Amino acid sequence: MEFGLLGPLAISHEGSPITLTKAVPRATLAVLLLHHGHPVAVERIIDVVWSEADGPPLTARSMVQRSVNSLRELFRVDPETTLRTRPGGYELTCREGALDLRRFEDLVDQADGCGSLREMAAVLREALRLWRGDPLSDVTNRGLESFKTGLTERRLTVVERCIELELQLGRHQEIVAELQSWTDTHPFRESMLALLMLALHRGGRTTDALAAYADFRARLAEEVGTDPGTAVRMLHERILNNDHTLAAPVQRGVDTAIPQTATDHADTPSQPAWVVPRQLPAGPRWLVGRDEQLAQLGQALAARETGQMAGAGTPVVVVVDGMAGIGKTALALTFAHQVSDRFPDGQLYLNLRGFGPADTPMATGEAVRTCLDALAVAVDDIPTSLQAQAGLYRSLIANRRMLVVLDNAADAEQVRPLLPASPASMVIITSRRRLESLVATDGAIPLALEVLNAAQAYALLEAGMGAARLAAEPDEVDELIARCAGLPLALRIVLARALTRPGFALAALVSTLRAAQDRLGSFDGGDPVTNLRVVFSWSYRDLPADTAWVFRSLAVHPGPEMSESSTASTSGLSRPATRAALAELVQLHLLQERAPGRFSLHDLIRLYAVDHLHGDGDEVIGRARQRLADHYLHSAHRAAMLLYPSRDPITIAAPLPGVCLDEFAGELEARAWFGTEHAVLLAVLHDAARHGLHAHAWQIPWSMVDYLDWGGHWRDYIATQQIALDASAALGDLNGQIRAHRGLGRAHLRLGDIETARGFLTRSLQLSRQSNDPLGEAQTHLILAWMHEQDSDFRSALGHAEQALEGMRAGHDGRGVANALNTVGWYHTLLGQHSTALRYCGQALEQHEQLDDPQGHADTWDSLGHAHRGLQDLPQAITCYTRAVELYRTIQHGYDEATTQASLAETLLLSGDKDRARAAWEHALTLLAPLDPDEADAIRSRLTAL
């Protein structure tokens, strides 16, 4: 089989074309071919296939799987074409030469090794003949656009390189027509225009060359609003002045000369020969998982070359930032080597030592002088002042096509004097710090690196060890990847150990890492740059005292995220001081800001913070941990009382000094806060229980009850209430035990486990009576009523509801009385006593209106809807249900809204309005599907029966 990407998607077997008619398999195949030989995650395929839609369909994963199966069937005719399932996704491989893109790249690489210009040009022409048009022109998924752009840019780069060679060979007459076609197709690509102008001039058509420039300048001014770049302007001037150095090289007898560009400056007697620096260090042997970032760098360069990037007189500047060990230098050098041929005037490389073993970064003066030395400036010609030296540096590389890599920068001020003024140049800066001022004032393009995902980590290990070694021990590989937490440096240290011990099973390496008392210390490659603890220390050592303490205190937070307020509470610092510290830590990539105001620590960075926190002592750590627990307890308590003011109150101790609490403007903000902090609250709760903060360990679950219940998080509900029960028992706190037993009973009822619920509720009732707590008894009676309702024992349910009403009245709880009145009315309507139900529910509605209780309002309108439906007053029932749905939606009680929507649908169907009934059931199904699969299935059955 053969495959083509360099034009419309092409598939053939033994020369006969094969057509894929369905869109999903076509796009899937395109993605797999673009990543040939590497696993592609299902999620990545989904992103590409459905990039134009509002979101992928629920069946997207199964559709991709079906597409993969159909492709496998297609490939059965060719044993050399395989589509395998890998840990990181699906991997397509085919025989050598079967994919046109690989043949193209192989030929381009082959050209580099040719012995003459003619051979080089001939091989590049052979490569270009593989193109059949625009890449993947018949696969229109928007998710492929970045790939198409990258492929098109690669083609144009090779075209220009080939034409430059042919200009060197004196073929200017032959290539004019081709160049005119390319400039018509890419009217803003200055590098192609320059080649056309040079070819026309060398062919005796100087007037046409000048006219081509004039047309380009006019079009650029009209459509883009900018002037041509410096390089093409200078070529225009040289043609105007009939610069003899523009003559064809073959006329000067230099047929075998190194290819020059159309914009090169010829040497003159007054100007020393240009020394071309080639300073790039060797790149990494493997760079995996950075295809997207390499494409972004390529697009940045392409935007300048095609004139799409504004800013005359400025180079392309890209700032690659990320945490220690993330692979910034590896990315920069890999890209630099890939595009070095597009910078024929040289490549400069400086390690600015911003973070490393040296105590101080490289001084700007030293950096500028190093550049001048690289450009072979004589000592006597170097000025004294730094300003003059920087000016000389910029003058020397003005109008040159230079690539400058400034590695490991400390800050923006260190690199700013090193930025050339040549628009034909490119600068790649790497730093652990976010150099935002370069983005703001110098037009730099930011490119932040994240850790590798599991598939990318697997691919890195596979590149080094080979597929067979990994396949032999898949579980051990998974653990290695997990322990490295996606950090490329950690993965490379592990890879180095495996490669230097080829006879060892990976299980032995895993066992060593697992047994290490010092997990961070186990990532030591034998020198400072491959020792994670040392590498991290270069970011930590110069932090101001407050920032360093905030960093250490973050180790107390169990995660997965922290907010500014929780960090301020943990550290005990003010909000402004904490905000400044967090900003500095984010700048240095010691902390990641995943969303505005939401921060997280990488696993290995957390271990480093823990290392340093131990030095603060147990007392300091204990106070920080309690402040953190206080922050979440008091904030959660505030939010809970806004969500359900009629809850039985609890008394919590005052927070420690320095605790900063979250504030809420109303119920919706409180609910949103619970949604944001859900996972964090669970982690803090477990941490509090583990460290003996028992009061927090039962009071935080109390605060979460209604949020977890209304959101359908019933497994979390049970787990948190069990922690609460254990903690309150450890304290001997009867109030906590009463509430925990009640909460467990309620949660088990949600899951339909009536007998288990009965045991917890009975115990809660006993403890309430033992402590003479009538409101506690009443609350438990309400849940017992619901339990009997689950058993369809409505008479017993009514009895418990009436006892709850008595208890609420005895305890003078107005909200409780209103809720109990509605509950009594509800069970009357279930018993068929609808008129009595209307009386109780009407009283409940009056009280809820006085109390401004939207939850109670909604519950009561729902009860009234049932009563009116029981009395066959369908219009009034529809009105009541509709009002309840509106209120539930306003307060975002998804489960209650869904069940009321279902009741509304039944009533609409009874009234003969089938269309509105269907719409109500469909909405209920959307809400219930993730919360209660059984209820969702029941609604699907009703919809099917319509």
Side-chain angles (χ1 to χ4, degrees):
M1 300 192 77
E2 293 193 347
F3 302 92
L5 297 173
L6 307 182
L9 180 65
I11 319 165
S12 64
H13 178 238
E14 295 181 347
S16 300
I18 298 171
T19 302
L20 284 179
T21 57
K22 294 184 178 179
V24 176
R26 285 172 60 78
T28 301
L29 177 60
V31 178
L32 293 170
L33 287 170
L34 286 165
H35 293 82
H36 179 274
H38 299 283
V40 185
V42 175
E43 291 75 14
R44 179 71 180 114
I45 298 173
I46 290 172
D47 287 344
V48 170
V49 175
W50 286 280
S51 57
E52 293 89 349
D54 294 334
L58 295 175
T59 57
R61 180 175 288 272
S62 62
M63 292 174 71
V64 170
Q65 290 169 344
R66 287 197 298 272
S67 297
V68 168
N69 289 336
S70 68
L71 291 173
R72 283 173 172 157
E73 284 296 318
L74 184 66
F75 300 157
R76 284 184 183 276
V77 296
D78 181 6
E80 291 187 274
T81 301
T82 61
L83 180 48
R84 297 185 177 92
T85 301
R86 297 293 195 193
Y90 298 115
E91 178 184 279
L92 174 61
T93 57
C94 52
R95 64 177 172 80
E96 185 175 354
L99 177 60
D100 60 359
L101 176 58
R102 291 188 68 189
R103 295 203 302 276
F104 173 76
E105 292 295 351
D106 289 344
L107 286 167
V108 173
D109 291 341
Q110 180 184 329
D112 290 333
C114 291
S116 70
L117 298 181
R118 283 191 176 84
E119 290 178 14
M120 189 180 297
V123 173
L124 291 179
R125 280 294 172 192
E126 183 182 351
L128 290 169
R129 280 192 290 272
L130 294 171
W131 285 81
R132 297 169 286 109
D134 292 334
L136 292 170
S137 56
D138 58 340
V139 185
T140 58
N141 304 73
R142 191 180 303 163
L144 289 170
E145 287 306 312
S146 63
F147 293 105
K148 293 182 181 182
T149 301
L151 289 174
T152 300
E153 176 56 31
R154 181 61 172 152
R155 180 188 190 185
L156 291 172
T157 301
V158 175
V159 167
E160 290 172 344
R161 182 181 172 193
C162 182
I163 289 175
E164 286 176 353
L165 292 172
E166 291 173 334
L167 281 170
Q168 287 288 320
L169 293 166
R171 298 174 184 168
H172 39 271
Q173 300 280 18
E174 304 166 35
I175 60 176
V176 164
E178 179 186 1
L179 277 168
Q180 287 176 327
S181 175
W182 281 117
T183 53
D184 289 343
T185 307
H186 301 277
F188 297 108
R189 193 173 181 91
E190 292 193 9
S191 51
M192 197 72 77
L193 171 70
L195 291 170
L196 174 61
M197 291 168 62
L198 185 60
L200 289 168
H201 175 64
R202 286 181 175 177
R205 299 171 59 183
T206 300
T207 301
D208 290 339
L210 297 174
Y213 175 81
D215 289 344
F216 174 78
R217 183 177 61 182
R219 183 169 58 250
L220 198 64
E222 180 179 352
E223 299 185 29
V224 183
T226 61
D227 293 325
T230 303
V232 74
R233 289 203 311 269
M234 293 190 67
L235 176 63
H236 174 250
E237 291 176 8
R238 294 171 70 192
I239 293 174
L240 276 174
N241 295 326
N242 197 24
D243 186 338
H244 71 279
T245 63
L246 294 179
V250 291
Q251 296 172 5
R252 305 198 307 257
V254 289
D255 181 61
T256 58
I258 297 173
Q260 300 178 21
T261 68
T263 56
D264 281 347
H265 288 276
D267 299 334
T268 65
S270 60
Q271 180 182 359
W274 174 253
V275 175
V276 179
R278 307 286 187 189
Q279 291 191 324
L280 294 177
R285 184 177 178 185
W286 309 289
L287 184 76
V288 175
R290 300 303 189 198
D291 292 348
E292 183 178 345
Q293 289 76 20
L294 288 170
Q296 287 177 272
L297 287 165
Q299 289 163 11
L301 179 56
R304 169 61 76 206
E305 291 179 340
T306 56
Q308 297 171 15
M309 183 179 292
T314 60
V316 183
V317 180
V318 181
V319 178
V320 181
D321 60 69
M323 66 181 286
I326 202 71
K328 302 178 290 295
T329 301
L331 173 70
L333 289 178
T334 297
F335 179 76
H337 282 287
Q338 288 178 355
V339 299
S340 61
D341 61 334
R342 290 158 71 174
F343 297 95
D345 293 319
Q347 305 92 41
L348 295 173
Y349 172 86
L350 277 83
N351 180 358
L352 297 174
R353 306 195 303 266
F355 304 88
D359 292 334
T360 57
M362 178 185 286
T364 303
E366 180 187 352
V368 173
R369 177 60 188 269
T370 301
C371 290
L372 293 176
D373 289 342
L375 299 175
V377 178
V379 174
D380 293 342
D381 294 333
I382 296 177
T384 304
S385 73
L386 172 59
Q387 184 176 357
Q389 290 177 6
L392 175 61
Y393 160 71
R394 285 192 294 270
S395 298
L396 286 171
I397 62 176
N399 306 315
R400 300 277 183 183
R401 292 170 67 177
M402 298 281 294
L403 176 62
V404 181
V405 179
L406 303 175
D407 194 18
N408 197 11
D411 53 40
E413 293 308 311
Q414 186 188 29
V415 301
R416 194 169 272 120
L418 302 172
L419 299 182
S422 170
S425 293
M426 182 176 191
V427 182
I428 304 174
I429 303 166
T430 74
S431 180
R432 296 188 189 183
R433 188 183 295 277
R434 290 182 174 178
L435 305 183
E436 293 175 351
S437 67
L438 287 180
V439 178
T441 63
D442 297 85
I445 301 168
L447 199 166
L449 292 188
E450 301 290 344
V451 296
L452 302 178
N453 60 35
Q456 293 165 337
Y458 187 95
L460 177 57
L461 295 179
E462 184 181 47
M465 286 189 269
R469 192 171 179 187
L470 298 190
E473 299 178 85
D475 293 340
E476 286 73 16
V477 172
D478 289 345
E479 185 169 348
L480 283 177
I481 290 172
R483 288 183 174 276
C484 293
L487 188 65
L489 179 56
L491 287 161
R492 288 179 181 276
I493 292 170
V494 166
L495 178 56
R497 289 185 186 172
L499 292 176
T500 55
R501 299 164 178 82
F504 285 26
L506 295 181
L509 178 56
V510 171
S511 179
T512 301
L513 292 175
R514 195 185 295 150
Q517 296 295 317
D518 177 8
R519 181 183 165 193
L520 197 59
S522 63
F523 293 103
D524 182 357
D527 59 56
V529 296
T530 57
N531 181 314
L532 283 190
R533 182 174 280 109
V534 173
V535 169
F536 291 160
S537 74
W538 299 334
S539 296
Y540 174 79
R541 66 188 177 193
D542 293 326
L543 293 178
D546 279 356
T547 304
W549 163 237
V550 168
F551 174 71
R552 297 195 303 276
S553 72
L554 291 173
V556 171
H557 198 299
E561 293 178 342
M562 54 280 291
S563 63
E564 179 186 297
S565 58
S566 69
T567 304
S569 295
T570 310
S571 67
L573 299 178
S574 67
R575 286 286 284 264
T578 302
R579 188 177 303 122
L582 289 171
E584 176 71 5
L585 293 172
V586 169
Q587 282 284 326
L588 287 169
H589 288 280
L590 285 170
L591 189 65
Q592 296 155 329
E593 189 171 12
R594 295 298 186 188
R598 305 295 297 177
F599 306 92
S600 65
L601 281 172
H602 183 273
D603 285 354
L604 297 176
I605 292 282
R606 178 184 292 278
L607 291 175
Y608 184 76
V610 169
D611 271 1
H612 285 273
L613 180 65
H614 287 320
D616 289 295
D618 292 343
E619 184 178 350
V620 171
I621 297 171
R623 285 200 302 271
R625 180 170 287 111
Q626 182 165 346
R627 284 195 299 268
L628 174 69
D630 280 349
H631 166 82
Y632 282 106
L633 170 58
H634 284 266
S635 298
H637 183 265
R638 286 184 176 185
M641 296 311 294
L642 280 170
L643 288 181
Y644 195 18
S646 61
R647 288 199 57 192
D648 50 330
I650 62 171
T651 301
I652 56 179
L656 289 179
V659 172
C660 177
L661 301 183
D662 289 324
E663 302 284 349
F664 313 103
E667 182 183 358
L668 292 182
E669 280 192 16
R671 182 176 300 281
W673 181 87
F674 270 120
T676 300
E677 301 288 0
H678 180 162
V680 180
L681 283 164
L682 295 178
V684 170
L685 171 60
H686 284 278
D687 190 66
R690 186 165 53 249
H691 290 93
L693 298 175
H694 297 306
H696 297 80
W698 81 258
Q699 291 168 346
I700 290 175
W702 179 93
S703 303
M704 297 177 69
V705 160
D706 292 307
Y707 163 73
L708 293 175
D709 186 41
W710 295 335
H713 305 291
W714 298 313
R715 298 293 179 189
D716 287 344
Y717 191 168
I718 289 175
T720 56
Q721 289 300 309
Q722 187 60 57
I723 292 173
L725 182 57
D726 295 340
S728 56
L731 283 174
D733 188 318
L734 207 56
N735 287 329
Q737 294 176 60
I738 290 169
R739 288 163 172 79
H741 277 103
R742 186 191 306 142
L744 283 164
R746 183 179 176 188
H748 280 287
L749 276 179
R750 283 294 195 191
L751 294 175
D753 188 353
I754 293 176
E755 289 310 310
T756 301
R758 190 191 311 275
F760 283 118
L761 292 172
T762 300
R763 182 58 179 157
S764 178
L765 199 61
Q766 291 169 348
L767 293 173
S768 295
R769 289 169 180 163
Q770 180 181 328
S771 62
N772 192 26
D773 178 10
L775 291 179
E777 283 190 63
Q779 293 283 355
T780 304
H781 276 300
L782 287 175
I783 300 175
L784 283 165
W786 180 42
M787 181 191 74
H788 285 290
E789 179 186 343
Q790 302 287 84
D791 260 346
S792 299
D793 184 357
F794 304 135
R795 182 65 60 188
S796 296
L798 177 60
H800 281 290
E802 289 171 339
Q803 291 181 75
L805 179 56
E806 292 176 11
M808 295 298 183
R809 283 172 171 159
H812 306 289
D813 184 343
R815 291 182 186 274
V817 168
N819 286 331
L821 282 168
N822 176 51
T823 306
V824 170
W826 170 253
Y827 290 120
H828 275 294
T829 198
L830 291 183
L831 289 166
Q833 299 161 1
H834 305 303
S835 297
T836 304
L838 288 177
R839 187 172 70 253
Y840 277 102
C841 292
Q843 294 175 33
L845 194 61
E846 290 176 6
Q847 294 208 33
H848 282 307
E849 288 172 350
Q850 295 172 6
L851 295 166
D852 188 24
D853 182 357
Q855 172 71 37
H857 261 99
D859 292 343
T860 306
W861 280 115
D862 180 73
S863 299
L864 287 166
H866 279 273
H868 282 294
R869 190 172 77 180
L871 292 170
Q872 299 303 307
D873 186 355
L874 300 184
Q876 190 60 38
I878 291 170
T879 299
C880 293
Y881 283 135
T882 301
R883 182 64 180 138
V885 165
E886 292 170 351
L887 285 168
Y888 284 133
R889 187 173 300 153
T890 299
I891 58 179
Q892 299 179 10
H893 291 185
Y895 183 82
D896 291 332
E897 181 189 346
T899 56
T900 303
Q901 284 275 19
S903 299
L904 174 60
E906 293 284 0
T907 310
L908 288 166
L909 189 61
L910 287 173
S911 70
D913 194 339
K914 184 181 290 188
D915 291 340
R916 285 180 64 195
R918 178 183 295 279
W921 265 318
E922 287 175 346
H923 188 73
L925 181 59
T926 300
L927 293 169
L928 276 175
L931 300 176
D932 192 331
D934 292 338
E935 287 289 337
D937 286 342
I939 289 177
R940 288 190 188 94
S941 299
R942 297 293 288 132
L943 283 168
T944 303
L946 275 183

